[in-house]
Amino acid sequence: MTVTAVTGAIDPATYRAVMRHLPTGVAAVCSIDNTTGTQHGMIVGTFASLSMEPALVTFSVMHSSTSWPRISEAGTFSISLLAEDQQQVCKALSAKGQDKLSSVGWSESGWGTPHLHGSLAWFDCRIEQQFTAGDHIVVIASVLAMTPTERASTPLIFHGGSFGGFRETA
Ligand SMILES: Cc1cc2nc3c(=O)[nH]c(=O)nc-3n(C[C@H](O)[C@H](O)[C@H](O)COP(=O)(O)O)c2cc1C
């Protein structure tokens, strides 16, 4: 399936300027190559819960991503939900290039995926569907396992081009 829309209706600069008002969480999508053992990773701000029964999650990936084809090849991947103090992890994984996990602490899960140390929670997922929507690929994955941590930290939040944490208002 490919999703297209009226082209030229909204200019990209306006689209970006308006979408800057929407804060997002920051999630690391990672996998380990089954044959070489090489780790791959990238950051997504589009991660979201899709369905509870069955447990499905979703995110979208730019066509230009070089990491996603490598991550998806494994079929099974992890999502680490980043905490407020993991901005360096976000920087390392959102950079172009390979071997991004070498500067980041992680452990291999029972599902053969990397769990990034210090994260708020981990998901182990299996790809169910991928389809093109405009300049992105929409990924739908089933949740094989979820692991929460007891960290007393707030999530890392991306808003208006900057990073921060969550503060409750009175
Ligand atoms: C806060 C933040 C959110 C991002 N969200 C997405 C996203 O949802 N989808 C995406 O494809 N790339 C997203 N990126 C960009 C990728 O993480 C990353 O820069 C890119 O995948 C690196 O290139 P590579 O895939 O060629 O390794 C985001 C980057 C940052 C810093």
Side-chain angles (χ1 to χ4, degrees):
M1 179 173 73
T2 297
V3 181
T4 53
V6 182
T7 51
I10 300 289
D11 88 283
T14 306
Y15 186 93
R16 265 196 298 275
V18 172
M19 291 306 286
R20 276 169 69 89
H21 294 297
L22 180 70
T24 72
V26 182
V29 182
C30 302
S31 74
I32 301 174
D33 187 294
N34 300 323
T35 45
T36 64
T38 317
Q39 310 94 45
H40 302 292
M42 67 183 289
I43 294 294
V44 297
T46 48
F47 177 70
S49 162
L50 182 63
S51 159
M52 205 155 16
E53 281 188 284
L56 296 171
V57 293
T58 182
F59 55 90
S60 60
V61 180
M62 290 180 284
H63 283 301
S64 56
S65 170
T66 55
S67 292
W68 176 246
R70 299 188 185 113
I71 296 168
S72 64
E73 218 168 84
T76 305
F77 63 89
S78 64
I79 300 271
S80 299
L81 298 185
L82 298 197
E84 185 178 358
D85 58 5
Q86 288 188 295
Q87 209 175 311
Q88 281 309 313
V89 174
C90 175
K91 199 173 164 194
L93 267 74
S94 57
K96 283 272 175 196
Q98 297 193 35
D99 205 20
K100 297 186 199 180
L101 269 69
S102 61
S103 62
V104 171
W106 60 276
S107 304
E108 187 170 340
S109 74
W111 295 92
T113 61
H115 284 188
L116 305 190
H117 295 168
S119 299
L120 295 177
W122 301 281
F123 296 76
D124 293 297
C125 301
R126 187 183 61 218
I127 298 168
E128 296 296 341
Q129 238 189 81
Q130 297 188 59
F131 57 88
T132 295
D135 54 14
H136 276 63
I137 299 160
V138 177
V139 180
I140 296 176
S142 55
V143 179
L144 303 169
M146 295 169 96
T147 318
T149 57
E150 302 297 327
R151 281 209 67 190
S153 174
T154 56
L156 182 61
I157 293 170
F158 185 67
H159 177 239
S162 303
F163 293 93
F166 175 75
R167 297 287 170 269
E168 215 174 271
T169 51

